[in-house]
Amino acid sequence: MYTTQIMEQLKQEIPTLIVKPNEDLAAYTFTKTGGQADLFVMPTSHQLAAETIKFANTNNVPLTILGNGSNLIIKDGGIRGIVMYLDALHAIKREGTKVIAGCGAKIIDVSRFALEASLSGLEFACGIPGSVGGALYMNAGAYGGEISDVLIEATVLTPTGELKYLQKDQLEAKYRKSSIADNHYVVLEAVFELTLAEPHTIRLKMEELTEMREAKQPLEYPSCGSVFKRPPGHFAGKLIQDAGLQGHQIGGAQVSMKHAGFIVNIDHASATDYMELIDHVQKTVSEKSGVLLETEVKIIGEDK
């Protein structure tokens, strides 16, 4: 009853907002797991995103922001309140040597756009499966590069729905974190400063990194990407492998046989399977090596 009332009020106050009740969230995560959202909304403009945040605040409704779900586990009980899905904000454009991308754009697509524009600097991102918003949120990186290396400005919404422009130094980017996460900002758009280069050179680098990724990562199964942060002085995958956990399985979730730093969904895994396996890996590695693995993947929602 509560959900129906909130949905009707939401449709009345923001009539152009796409609203779906009881939406299955497994379709929106790379692990293919997760329960339902009470209300699932898809803003198609910055204004609609801001209005949704303000509506949630005014009516005291919980609000969860969802990108493309690449480094995320949503629990089997789903998410209460409103889930705002930002995939529709995916425009990419060029201004000189700058590339401006919406939060819903895939960072892979932005790297390909840069290639077509003969702009270098985002080659490292050609295999990162996340969205621009998620990449800024966690300062995503790969093969020696990080988003903060090329990011110069971001447009965000504050937790109260106010528009804010952040310069690079205000993002306070560190290893797999930024001020966006700390301040609960919602990314709307990012500006990347790149450099002109020969398309052939850019393409060769991207092909080289793609080959490395395909050779090492278990892309044939659903997964949430690299599960654990790199502990100082160690590699998470090596610690897991040395602990004898490669191939270990709980339910349908398995420590990848191809790369022990990944947990893959090989047989209709639930989010609970994932979480139990993560917990088992952390405990076992700690017992074997004394190193406590910290999760890189974000876990949200409620237990079933």
Side-chain angles (χ1 to χ4, degrees), residues 9-22:
Q9 186 178 348
L10 189 58
K11 286 182 174 181
Q12 184 176 5
E13 295 187 20
I14 317 177
T16 57
L17 183 67
I18 299 169
V19 183
K20 298 181 180 181
N22 303 317

Side-chain angles (χ1 to χ4, degrees), residues 94-268:
R94 174 188 181 180
E95 290 183 2
T97 55
K98 295 181 177 67
V99 170
I100 303 166
C103 60
K106 310 298 184 288
I107 196 66
I108 289 176
D109 291 340
V110 181
S111 71
R112 291 170 180 162
F113 179 93
L115 165 62
E116 295 302 318
S118 302
L119 293 172
S120 174
L122 275 170
E123 291 89 335
F124 73 90
C126 69
I128 297 176
S131 64
V132 167
L136 267 64
Y137 184 90
M138 65 179 296
N139 188 27
Y143 301 112
E146 290 182 328
I147 288 298
S148 59
D149 296 338
V150 290
L151 183 70
I152 59 169
E153 185 180 316
T155 303
V156 303
L157 290 171
T158 69
T160 58
E162 303 304 318
L163 201 64
K164 190 178 183 73
Y165 299 96
L166 301 178
Q167 300 303 310
K168 181 173 183 174
D169 60 338
Q170 295 174 288
L171 295 165
E172 300 174 11
K174 300 174 185 175
Y175 176 66
R176 300 299 176 265
K177 68 178 298 185
S178 70
S179 64
I180 291 168
D182 295 337
N183 294 306
H184 306 288
Y185 292 144
V186 177
V187 177
L188 294 178
E189 195 172 74
V191 182
F192 303 104
E193 181 67 70
L194 307 176
T195 56
L196 287 168
E198 289 293 328
H200 178 68
T201 304
I202 300 171
R203 185 176 288 105
L204 283 177
K205 183 63 175 176
M206 290 173 69
E207 288 175 353
E208 176 189 346
L209 295 179
T210 298
E211 287 179 9
M212 291 171 61
R213 177 171 177 260
E214 290 176 348
K216 295 180 179 179
Q217 297 184 15
L219 304 179
E220 64 274 23
Y221 292 110
S223 83
C224 54
S226 182
V227 177
F228 303 102
K229 293 181 180 180
R230 185 177 66 243
H234 299 276
F235 292 98
K238 180 71 163 55
L239 290 170
I240 296 167
Q241 193 173 24
D242 291 347
L245 291 168
Q246 193 154 23
H248 189 81
Q249 186 173 336
I250 293 179
Q254 182 193 65
V255 176
S256 170
M257 293 296 295
K258 196 171 186 179
H259 189 311
F262 288 69
I263 293 178
V264 292
N265 183 347
I266 65 167
D267 186 17
H268 303 93

